[in-house]
């Protein structure tokens, strides 16, 4: 029994990674979305609103910052990696109820990218778009300038995998996880909030954990 227990401890990380990989791959080919209902050892569920999502790597990934800015810019993955990085460890809370405690994310503070772009005075909000071709999100400019809002490159101290929205995703620590758009490809400064994919389907635009969507979850701050 002791031997079996030790073997289970030794093999658990490999089994978990295998399960995450298998579910992530299956979710990309599942138009029903049912794979998103299956939990895995890491506590996350896999959601995608597109029938399939192309892969991007260091050679093909691009992040465009445009709209009401003085200096539009396009970032490669290597260029993002070369910028100062911030690491945040918070619980992740999904609006559907599941929660993953103490999850590390690391990336570029969004406000640093906004400062580099030179936000114009008339800008009041940001629209985020994704290379799945379907998903979008939004934040007010004041929300986006918080120091716990990241253009994230790493999760759980590893590069963000494709199934988790990699190579780059948005991470909005104090809000429900649907605000942390996966497969991030565009950051556009706008005059007003343009509701994102789920807001158009009834979710709250201001998605503070525990203070929106009719839920009373413990805050993730």
């Amino acid at each position: 029994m002791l031997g079996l227990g030790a073997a289970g401890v030794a093999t658990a990380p490999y089994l978990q990674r295998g399960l995450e990989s298998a579910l992530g791959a299956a979710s990309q080919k599942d138009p029903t979305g049912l794979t998103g209902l299956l939990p895995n050892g890491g506590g996350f569920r896999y959601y995608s609103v597109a029938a399939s999502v192309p892969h991007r790597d260091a050679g093909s990934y691009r992040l465009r910052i445009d709209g009401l800015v003085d200096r539009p810019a396009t970032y490669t993955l290597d260029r993002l990696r070369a910028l100062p990085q911030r690491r945040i460890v918070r619980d992740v809370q999904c609006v559907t109820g599941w929660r993953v405690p103490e999850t590390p994310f690391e990336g570029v503070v969004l406000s640093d990218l906004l400062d580099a772009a030179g936000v114009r005075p008339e800008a009041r909000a940001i629209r985020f778009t994704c290379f799945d071709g379907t998903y979008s999100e939004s934040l007010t400019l004041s929300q986006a300038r918080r120091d716990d809002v990241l253009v994230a490159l790493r999760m759980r101290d590893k590069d963000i995998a494709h199934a988790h929205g990699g190579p780059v995703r948005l991470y909005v620590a104090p809000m429900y996880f649907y605000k942390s758009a996966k497969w991030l490809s565009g950051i556009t400064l706008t005059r007003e909030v343009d509701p994102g994919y789920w807001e158009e389907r009834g979710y709250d635009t201001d998605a503070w954990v525990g203070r929106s969507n009719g839920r009373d979850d413990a805050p993730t701050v």
Side-chain angles (χ1 to χ4, degrees):
M1 291 179 67
L2 289 174
L4 289 173
V9 170
T11 59
Y14 300 98
L15 293 174
Q16 176 177 322
R17 285 195 293 270
L19 179 59
E20 289 186 353
S21 178
L23 285 176
S27 69
Q28 301 307 313
K29 300 178 181 179
D30 175 20
T32 70
L34 293 177
T35 51
L37 301 177
L38 299 174
N40 65 73
F44 287 88
R45 286 156 173 78
Y46 295 92
Y47 298 115
S48 173
V49 297
S52 63
V53 182
H55 284 66
R56 297 284 186 266
D57 58 20
S60 59
Y61 179 77
R62 299 292 185 272
L63 174 63
R64 178 70 178 168
I65 301 179
D66 57 18
L68 298 175
V69 296
D70 293 327
R71 296 175 292 278
T74 299
Y75 288 84
T76 64
L77 188 56
D78 287 341
R79 187 179 175 190
L80 288 171
R81 287 170 173 166
L83 295 174
Q85 308 286 303
R86 174 177 170 83
R87 187 174 186 269
I88 297 174
V89 182
R90 303 271 182 85
D91 290 0
V92 168
Q93 178 68 54
C94 181
V95 74
T96 60
W98 54 265
R99 189 178 185 106
V100 183
E102 298 183 353
T103 303
F105 279 86
E106 186 174 351
V108 182
V109 177
L110 176 57
S111 62
D112 290 348
L113 296 178
L114 299 179
D115 289 342
V119 177
R120 294 178 183 172
E122 62 267 33
R124 293 289 183 271
I126 303 178
R127 175 176 171 81
F128 303 94
T129 50
C130 308
F131 62 78
D132 68 350
T134 304
Y135 202 78
S136 64
E137 255 309 332
S138 65
L139 292 172
T140 66
L141 188 57
S142 61
Q143 291 167 353
R145 284 196 173 279
R146 290 176 57 107
D147 63 4
D148 54 2
V149 177
L150 304 180
V151 172
L153 286 72
R154 292 174 63 80
M155 184 181 84
R156 292 175 165 174
D157 300 315
K158 299 176 184 177
D159 291 345
I160 297 179
H162 176 76
H164 285 295
V168 178
R169 71 175 298 158
L170 187 66
Y171 176 55
V172 186
M175 292 190 177
Y176 285 103
F177 208 38
Y178 65 87
K179 302 295 289 190
S180 297
K182 298 192 289 188
W183 306 300
L184 183 66
S185 62
I187 297 174
T188 301
L189 276 293
T190 60
R191 284 184 171 82
E192 58 187 22
V193 169
D194 184 1
Y197 181 90
W198 285 117
E199 286 89 354
E200 292 178 341
R201 290 157 176 80
Y203 284 25
D204 286 354
T205 302
D206 294 325
W208 305 107
V209 174
R211 294 187 286 123
S212 66
N213 293 287
R215 297 187 59 88
D216 60 356
D217 306 287
T220 52
V221 296

